[in-house]
Amino acid sequence: MTSYTPTSENKFTFGLWTVGNIGRDPFGGPVRDVKSPVELVHLLAEVGAYGVNFHDNDLVPIDATSAERDHIVRDFKAALSETGLVVPMATTNLFTDAAFKDGAFTSNDPKVRAYALQKTMNAIDLGVELGAKIYVFWGGREGTETDASKDPITAIKRSREAMNFLCEYALDKKYDLKFALEAKPNEPRGDMYNATTGHMLAFIETLDHPEMVGVNPEVAHEHMAGLNFVHGVAQAMESGKLFHIDLNDQAFGRYDQDFRFGAVNLKSAFFLVKLLEDNKYDSSRHFDAHAYRTEDYEGVKDFARGCIRTYLVLKEKVAQFNADKEIQALLAEINANDSSTDQYFGKYSSKKANELKAQTFDREALGKRGLGYERLDQLTIDLLLGVR
Ligand code: GCO
Ligand code: MN
Ligand code: MN
């Protein structure tokens, strides 16, 4: 048993917008007072976070003068050095301002597209100044309510042109920066382009600098689409594209809930932590969630500590699963290699193909074999419920 105390190796981060969420929703106004970025850094230090991420306007208001900007950045840097928190990731707010009501990079209005590029370059400068090595792109308004309004192929081309331009900008400035694209199927738009991590992975391969660009999958976003998040993350990892991850939780089929990590789907959270830990995921474990609207700032701290604690408990459960003799014996049995077909696998040859076509298989016996997955799953459940 550990005490579930986070260390810098866990790289647990939160956005200013997560613990700073004031509980506004479409049906009601704020329930918590606004806290300044400096106050939020101190709150995050208190709950044991390693780092803090931000959108440009979480830190510097959209209408700040350059003197105000410098003042804010100076205070923020002081809070970082006082607390030891780092800024691993930054991003641009391309969704709040009314100018972006019909998208940023995919807007039909070239002035909006140009402004979005300008705002992103400035936000990249800000992020890099504060130490960010990952830059996230979440296209909150890149989508439609009616497909009468935009040609979806044009939208893809505009997104590509923007990403290529911004990659060149980062290279031109010699920034040590990678981009991570975050998909979401809907909300705030009726439908958003590049709706899932899978769409993003395909899109990245069409860019001029695919090596600079990976993904930032979010639990809630894939669950909103009814997908298996663990599988999406695995695909990103297997192709070397998991640059960042947004951890939270979400009931399937609901609105964008942004619940505390592990609050809803404990079992899938377990397999996610297992995937990340077994494969030595090394970037930020970023909690992109917020406290229930019922909470005050003590509740916000409970929320943040809860995200961290659940992750660490599940990490311990992963170690227990990996060391469990009965579970491991079952897995070894399931994965037992039968070398009688080895000659058919690997690189293709026509000789191999012909031999394989001539081989006979006992189809009935193959179909009859029980696989023991019920037992395996129940052992997993027992382990998660703490009775193993
Ligand atoms: C959401 C998104 C955002 C992004 C953030 C960083 O559903 O609102 O998850 O929180 O992650 O804008 O790009
Ligand atoms: Mn989200
Ligand atoms: Mn997110």
Side-chain angles (χ1 to χ4, degrees):
M1 272 287 184
T2 67
S3 62
Y4 310 120
T5 308
T7 70
S8 57
E9 267 168 47
N10 301 128
K11 297 189 182 153
F12 290 131
T13 65
F14 290 82
L16 283 179
W17 71 94
T18 64
V19 284
N21 180 291
I22 54 177
R24 191 188 286 123
D25 74 13
F27 303 93
V31 294
R32 292 183 284 269
D33 295 336
V34 174
K35 283 206 185 292
S36 71
V38 167
E39 288 173 313
L40 293 170
V41 167
H42 285 280
L43 184 152
L44 285 174
E46 197 185 323
V47 300
Y50 158 81
V52 56
N53 307 316
F54 55 81
H55 301 87
D56 50 354
N57 304 138
D58 299 337
L59 186 59
V60 182
I62 195 164
D63 51 4
T65 63
S66 71
E68 282 163 351
R69 176 203 188 273
D70 293 347
H71 190 88
I72 292 167
V73 170
R74 199 170 55 235
D75 288 353
F76 192 67
K77 280 182 177 165
L80 293 175
S81 69
E82 223 174 286
T83 55
L85 260 73
V86 294
V87 175
M89 177 272 259
T91 182
T92 330
N93 184 327
L94 294 173
F95 43 88
T96 299
D97 196 83
F100 301 121
K101 65 187 175 197
D102 192 27
F105 303 140
T106 63
S107 167
N108 280 328
D109 185 337
K111 283 204 183 62
V112 173
R113 297 203 300 275
Y115 173 52
L117 282 177
Q118 181 203 63
K119 190 172 194 291
T120 304
M121 288 189 290
N122 288 330
I124 288 177
D125 295 345
L126 176 68
V128 169
E129 182 180 345
L130 285 152
K133 298 271 191 289
I134 299 286
Y135 202 84
V136 163
F137 290 84
W138 173 63
R141 299 279 174 195
E142 313 290 12
T144 59
E145 283 70 42
T146 166
D147 286 330
S149 65
K150 277 187 213 165
D151 172 18
I153 290 186
T154 304
I156 295 168
K157 290 187 191 308
R158 286 175 181 159
S159 304
R160 180 181 301 120
E161 203 178 286
M163 292 315 304
N164 285 340
F165 185 94
L166 293 165
C167 281
E168 292 295 348
Y169 177 73
L171 289 169
D172 187 25
K173 290 278 174 187
K174 303 204 168 22
Y175 288 155
D176 174 16
L177 196 63
K178 286 194 163 178
F179 293 172
L181 311 188
E182 178 177 347
K184 188 176 183 182
N186 55 273
E187 243 186 295
R189 297 311 296 268
D191 289 286
M192 269 128 87
Y193 298 125
N194 281 328
T196 69
T197 299
H199 289 75
M200 283 299 186
L201 287 168
F203 172 71
I204 289 167
E205 294 311 312
T206 72
L207 299 175
D208 289 347
H209 294 283
E211 71 288 349
M212 278 180 71
V213 187
V215 289
N216 177 36
E218 174 170 317
V219 180
H221 297 178
E222 307 288 312
H223 285 187
M224 283 169 75
L227 299 176
N228 182 317
F229 185 64
V230 177
H231 294 186
V233 173
Q235 190 178 356
M237 275 188 128
E238 202 273 336
S239 53
K241 291 293 185 197
L242 188 67
F243 288 5
H244 198 267
I245 193 162
D246 277 6
L247 302 170
N248 56 12
D249 213 348
Q250 168 84 25
F252 279 76
R254 299 288 168 90
Y255 66 97
D256 179 17
Q257 295 179 306
D258 283 335
F259 287 151
R260 192 179 72 254
F261 179 60
V264 183
N265 299 288
L266 264 184
K267 196 173 165 190
S268 62
F270 168 73
F271 285 113
L272 175 63
V273 173
K274 185 168 189 307
L275 180 77
L276 296 175
E277 297 301 324
D278 285 352
N279 292 286
K280 311 211 173 336
Y281 170 74
D282 193 30
S283 185
S284 294
R285 288 160 182 80
H286 176 239
F287 297 109
D288 187 9
H290 50 77
Y292 303 143
R293 194 164 177 270
T294 50
E295 304 308 291
D296 59 11
Y297 275 101
E298 281 313 304
V300 171
K301 289 182 210 165
D302 291 338
F303 147 81
R305 289 194 179 104
C307 287
I308 291 174
R309 183 174 170 83
T310 299
Y311 190 100
L312 291 173
V313 172
L314 291 175
K315 187 177 167 186
E316 187 183 73
K317 295 282 179 192
V318 169
Q320 199 188 332
F321 182 99
N322 290 343
D324 188 299
K325 291 214 165 59
E326 197 176 346
I327 290 175
Q328 292 309 314
L330 257 181
L331 283 171
E333 206 180 304
I334 289 162
N335 290 295
N337 202 17
D338 161 5
S339 56
S340 68
T341 52
D342 279 3
Q343 69 272 24
Y344 302 131
F345 298 120
K347 200 171 155 43
Y348 176 86
S349 75
S350 56
K351 181 172 171 285
K352 239 186 219 182
N354 288 331
E355 282 170 9
L356 179 53
K357 281 169 98 178
Q359 168 84 42
T360 50
F361 290 98
D362 185 351
R363 198 164 38 82
E364 227 173 288
L366 290 176
K368 278 211 168 108
R369 214 180 116 223
L371 300 182
Y373 292 175
E374 285 287 358
R375 208 176 117 215
L376 179 62
D377 190 67
Q378 189 59 42
L379 289 171
T380 309
I381 295 287
D382 281 5
L383 188 148
L384 290 177
L385 293 179
V387 295
R388 248 190 107 61

